[in-house]
Amino acid sequence: MSFIWSPRPGRRFTHTRQVVLGGIAHMVKALRQTKVRRAVLVSSSAVYGQADGARVDADTQPVANSERAELLLKGEGLWLDAGPNYTVLRLAGLYGPGRVVGIQAVRDGARWWATPTRC
């Protein structure tokens, strides 16, 4: 059995702190009581903080340039410290109208492959 958790960020920083840090602590505690083999936390590419158009990939070191990004990194750390089967997946453009590349293809049930120029 696997488990994926994708908390939506709050509009207020206090709410985000409660969801990210408090929520992750509660989830780790609850998951330790189950037979989950792998747990994936969906995080955000906002932790990179590069605003100069630089390309980032899995090898890019995060540069938290905001309180929210710092909080996300702390939350990721809590998750990863829980054990070797806890993974973080950072996705970009998750929330907001028109921000998910290829969403119409997904809605239409069509195959869609990302290209570097479209991501």
Side-chain angles (χ1 to χ4, degrees):
M1 176 169 47
S2 298
F3 178 80
I4 297 175
W5 185 43
S6 177
R8 181 181 178 275
R11 297 205 182 272
R12 297 185 326 248
F13 184 71
T14 303
H15 175 71
T16 302
R17 176 178 298 281
Q18 291 167 346
V19 169
V20 173
L21 298 183
I24 287 174
H26 288 296
M27 289 305 305
V28 168
K29 183 178 178 182
L31 288 172
R32 286 189 175 145
Q33 317 258 332
T34 70
K35 294 181 180 183
V36 170
R37 290 189 319 251
R38 170 170 284 175
V40 178
L41 171 71
V42 177
S43 187
S44 171
S45 60
V47 299
Y48 293 114
Q50 284 82 348
D52 59 359
R55 185 177 293 252
V56 298
D57 61 26
D59 296 322
T60 303
Q61 290 298 313
V63 179
N65 65 350
S66 69
E67 286 183 276
R68 180 174 175 266
E70 288 176 23
L71 185 61
L72 289 170
L73 282 172
K74 286 180 185 178
E76 288 180 6
L78 289 172
W79 191 261
L80 294 171
D81 287 346
N85 295 330
Y86 287 72
T87 304
V88 172
L89 175 63
R90 293 176 181 149
L91 300 178
L94 291 177
Y95 305 106
R99 293 188 62 190
V100 180
V101 177
I103 191 65
Q104 193 57 51
V106 172
R107 287 181 178 140
D108 294 342
R111 280 191 162 174
W112 183 82
W113 303 101
T115 60
T117 58
R118 294 189 69 190
C119 295

